[in-house]
Amino acid sequence: MSSAAAFSYAPLLPTGPDQTEYRLVTDEGVDVVNGPGGRRFLTVEPTALTALTAEAMHDIAHYLRPAHLAQLRAIIDDPAASPNDRFVALDLLRNANIAAGGVLPMCQDTGTAIVMGKRGRHVLTDGSDAEAVSRGVYQAYTRLNLRYSQLAPLTMWEERNTGSNLPAQVELYAEDPDGHPDAYKFLFMAKGGGSANKSYLYQETKALLNPTRMMQFLEEKLRLIGTAACPPYHLAVVIGGTSGEYALKTAKYASAKYLDALPTSGSMSAHGFRDLELEAEVLELTRNFGIGAQFGGRYFCHDVRVVRLPRHGASCPVAIAVSCSADRQAVAKITPSGVWLERLETDPARYLPDVTDETLDASEVVRVDLNRPMDEIRAELSKYPVKTRLSLTGPLVVARDIAHAKIAERLDAGEPMPQYLRDHAVYYAGPAKTPEGYASGSFGPTTAGRMDAYVEKFQAAGGSQVMLAKGNRSAQVTRSCQQHGGFYLGSIGGPAARLAQDCIRHVEVLEYPELGMEAVWKIQVEDFPAFIVVDDKGNDFFAEVTKPVLTVGRR
């Protein structure tokens, strides 16, 4: 063997200067004390960690970064964007404006709370940092109109909602952030199930590391993400990694723009870097998918981050992750000057264009009266092709994962399909808490694919003839709709606050109230936006746009 190289050290993810604009949360709970050897130490009380976390979780539930809002506005201003691209972008901007009022969160799935912190060597706490952070998560989720989504496993098969959205995922590192020993820096994230479920790890080989094969691979895998996680996405691709789990974690950080200041070229110190050229090419690749911002067009992604990491010679992990239209993260820091949180946009109305529904082809919208018998509703839908934009008014039944499982058990036991699923369209959703004076809390659609296994059984029994949710469905759903005369309607993923304020007029529990947000609900909607995605003739809008078409490699 050749002689060893000289020792050198570089962090795996070296980042540049922090360009974040911060706002002061508080200067209480922090102090500077003298230590041995003339060193100065920053002391941080648990109350400061709790206050920062609670404030951060509030902000990311209601506010977005200015850059994200500017990207939504750019879609509306882009003449190459499709009408559906612009319609989705406008609805997401309207939703951001409502959420910024601080009452309705921007998404009904207010997520798993994820907190990553780096504590400098001259920062002193009482050692209960994770507990203090978790208390801040608890305060935010129990005091605000957020949803409890965390399930405690009581046995291998039995689960129960914790009723507080705890536990949080808290990861704390002993590391001088940005070289500052007297600083404590954080990344706060709220990761909904739809977005989290679109994190992928592929164990590849050296054979992937050439331009042609890489682009073919990425086209195939990126199309599979679909729209269930509410595009337009901030997409991250990580190639390499000292382990699969490190690649996945890096992809999550990159999707949150946390690694934007990485170097843009590699070196023999084997640090990670961003490949800006490949980022541009992958973004252009996604623009040609035809998927667009959920219902056809160019804007499947806002942007792309590609990070190259070192790897073991026998391994080549590839990780893919997205941040969705609820782009919920913020960085923070505690320094001798106080507790600071990233300044998010509290006035998103300034990004709204002077544009009307008529500009977005509102004349092409088909209005559907859900008060009519189911056979009449289906006959009306059968007149129009997939991708037709609809406006729904009338009653909907709401049921999702647990309710579907319980109804399936009843069918297996020989009981009939509940009449409410025979008479009404079913909306897959689960609401956040209802604020006082509102008809509903944030109430956007959930991922349709999780209910795919139930569709044929339910439609054969006379239920679920018209389904409403977000994202693409499996081929078995298309076949079942063709056989039984059913339809799947796609709703815009993301604008949960706008739907609650503008479209949902009444909410009541029909069955299983003990399930909380997973109960069966009946809601009254007005001008609820949707698109025909799967029809009764075997057509599926997403069937064509999920087929790879790339025939040439990277230039």
Side-chain angles (χ1 to χ4, degrees):
M1 295 180 63
S2 60
S3 60
F7 173 80
S8 66
Y9 172 78
L12 275 175
L13 297 171
T15 55
D18 185 358
Q19 304 293 335
T20 306
E21 181 182 355
Y22 291 95
R23 67 177 182 86
L24 181 65
V25 175
T26 181
D27 56 7
E28 297 181 357
V30 296
D31 198 6
V32 177
V33 299
N34 294 319
R39 289 177 291 180
R40 303 272 286 172
F41 289 84
L42 174 67
T43 63
V44 179
E45 298 296 328
T47 53
L49 294 172
T50 297
L52 172 60
T53 302
E55 189 79 359
M57 300 315 296
H58 166 276
D59 280 14
I60 63 178
H62 292 282
Y63 309 133
L64 292 159
R65 286 172 167 161
H68 176 86
L69 293 164
Q71 287 175 309
L72 287 173
R73 173 60 188 267
I75 295 174
I76 298 171
D77 293 338
D78 182 1
S82 72
N84 285 343
D85 278 338
R86 293 194 291 272
F87 177 70
V88 170
L90 180 59
D91 219 35
L92 292 173
L93 280 175
R94 288 169 170 166
N95 186 70
N97 197 52
I98 293 168
V103 178
L104 294 166
M106 69 182 73
C107 179
Q108 80 286 342
D109 185 348
T110 48
T112 296
I114 301 173
V115 184
M116 186 272 286
K118 296 180 179 180
R119 190 175 78 185
R121 65 185 185 275
H122 290 174
V123 177
L124 302 179
T125 70
D126 70 356
S128 65
D129 300 28
E131 180 180 351
V133 167
S134 296
R135 185 177 295 277
V137 171
Y138 174 86
Q139 289 182 1
Y141 277 83
T142 55
R143 295 175 182 177
L144 301 172
N145 297 308
L146 309 184
R147 197 177 84 184
Y148 309 142
S149 299
Q150 305 307 309
L151 302 178
L154 304 182
T155 69
M156 181 59 75
W157 323 117
E158 183 185 2
E159 300 173 310
R160 188 171 302 164
N161 195 299
T162 62
S164 63
N165 214 57
L166 293 178
Q169 179 178 321
V170 183
E171 301 178 3
L172 303 175
Y173 299 90
E175 177 181 331
D176 290 352
D178 302 326
H180 297 292
D182 59 348
Y184 204 159
K185 300 194 77 170
F186 299 89
L187 171 65
F188 293 95
M189 304 178 73
K191 200 71 173 172
S195 179
N197 292 345
K198 297 303 179 181
S199 296
Y200 297 98
L201 175 66
Y202 302 97
Q203 296 287 10
E204 297 298 315
T205 68
K206 172 71 169 73
L208 185 67
L209 298 181
N210 69 79
T212 298
R213 177 67 189 118
M214 179 63 72
M215 292 299 281
Q216 291 170 341
F217 171 87
L218 289 176
E219 180 180 23
E220 175 189 348
K221 302 307 182 187
L222 297 180
R223 285 178 180 273
L224 295 178
I225 295 174
T227 61
C230 308
Y233 298 127
H234 301 284
L235 171 67
V237 179
V238 174
I239 300 158
T242 49
S243 63
E245 61 269 25
Y246 192 81
L248 279 169
K249 183 177 294 189
T250 303
K252 181 172 287 187
Y253 293 161
S255 72
K257 308 295 184 69
Y258 186 73
L259 302 178
D260 276 10
L262 282 177
T264 56
S265 61
S267 74
M268 284 304 296
S269 59
H271 57 74
F273 65 90
R274 287 179 59 189
D275 186 328
L276 302 184
E277 181 184 357
L278 188 53
E279 288 178 2
E281 293 182 9
V282 174
L283 179 60
E284 186 60 28
L285 177 71
T286 67
R287 294 270 163 91
N288 293 321
F289 284 173
I291 299 174
Q294 306 188 29
F295 300 103
R298 287 170 46 82
Y299 283 94
F300 185 62
C301 295
H302 284 302
D303 47 43
V304 176
R305 297 294 181 267
V306 176
V307 177
R308 181 67 157 92
L309 293 177
R311 68 183 185 93
H312 185 286
S315 303
C316 186
V318 177
I320 295 173
V322 298
S323 184
C324 66
S325 59
D327 188 40
R328 294 172 295 192
Q329 57 264 326
V331 295
K333 62 182 180 180
I334 302 177
T335 69
S337 62
V339 178
W340 300 83
L341 179 61
E342 181 177 357
R343 187 183 298 278
L344 302 180
E345 180 58 72
T346 58
D347 183 23
R350 65 192 184 93
Y351 294 91
L352 282 168
D354 294 326
V355 64
T356 65
D357 285 343
E358 286 69 27
T359 309
L360 297 175
D361 300 325
S363 60
E364 302 299 320
V365 176
V366 175
R367 304 194 178 277
V368 179
D369 181 3
L370 298 176
N371 292 289
R372 292 181 294 172
M374 179 54 65
D375 286 346
E376 292 185 16
I377 294 172
R378 290 193 293 165
E380 177 69 14
L381 294 174
S382 191
K383 299 175 183 177
Y384 303 100
V386 294
K387 210 164 72 170
T388 297
R389 187 172 144 206
L390 309 174
S391 176
L392 310 177
T393 297
L396 289 169
V397 167
V398 178
R400 45 179 279 163
D401 306 65
I402 297 178
H404 273 70
K406 286 183 173 292
I407 293 169
E409 290 173 359
R410 288 158 58 174
L411 294 178
D412 290 341
E415 298 180 33
M417 172 63 65
Q419 193 64 36
Y420 53 72
L421 279 184
R422 298 174 65 90
D423 293 342
H424 301 296
V426 59
Y427 178 39
Y428 302 158
K433 285 182 282 189
T434 301
E436 185 176 353
Y438 284 70
S440 168
S442 292
F443 210 156
T446 199
T447 304
R450 298 204 307 272
M451 269 55 74
D452 282 4
Y454 302 104
V455 172
E456 202 286 325
K457 180 193 294 271
F458 281 26
Q459 289 190 336
S464 296
Q465 299 297 325
V466 177
M467 301 162 286
L468 174 66
K470 66 174 180 176
N472 45 302
R473 309 294 301 257
S474 64
Q476 67 184 17
V477 171
T478 302
R479 290 193 297 269
S480 182
C481 285
Q482 184 176 19
Q483 179 180 354
H484 298 289
F487 294 84
Y488 166 56
L489 312 180
S491 181
I492 300 172
R498 195 193 76 76
L499 293 175
Q501 176 175 286
D502 297 342
C503 301
I504 300 176
R505 301 303 181 217
H506 180 73
V507 176
E508 61 181 290
V509 175
L510 281 183
E511 196 170 15
Y512 305 123
E514 70 277 7
L515 298 181
M517 66 94 177
E518 292 254 18
V520 176
W521 308 79
K522 185 177 182 180
I523 65 175
Q524 294 287 334
V525 302
E526 182 179 340
D527 293 330
F528 194 106
F531 295 78
I532 299 176
V533 176
V534 177
D535 67 14
D536 57 347
K537 305 170 188 66
N539 299 308
D540 176 4
F541 162 67
F542 288 110
E544 289 302 315
V545 297
T546 54
K547 294 178 181 178
V549 296
L550 187 68
T551 57
V552 295
R554 181 181 177 189
R555 292 189 298 274

